[in-house]
Amino acid sequence: MSWSRKFDDPILAPGGTRILTLRRHLAKTVPKAEQNAPKVLNAAKELTAAAERSDDAWMFFARAATLQAIHRNERRSSIPIAKTITGGSGG
């Protein structure tokens, strides 16, 4: 296992903690009471898979799952969808 693998870009956790490698994982950023939350467990699974495999795709999955776990309690804000302009002048 290579827990020393680095993310392409550091993950900034609430409180200013920077997650640079797989080794600095969720256990240090998630309260113990929430470590069994589904998104946290999924992130742990993806982090382990990334450490076990050398494929860069696993680092992507680990990063995405870690971000979801870190922001698991945040509400999503609605983003207005831009209207598509259709038609045009023929001619």
Side-chain angles (χ1 to χ4, degrees), residues 32-66:
K32 200 167 195 93
E34 296 183 50
Q35 289 184 1
N36 286 326
K39 288 183 180 179
V40 176
L41 293 174
N42 182 56
K45 179 185 81 164
E46 296 297 342
L47 287 162
T48 301
E52 291 175 344
R53 297 166 177 87
S54 61
D55 187 355
D56 288 338
W58 286 103
M59 289 299 287
F60 174 82
F61 295 135
R63 179 182 176 77
T66 299

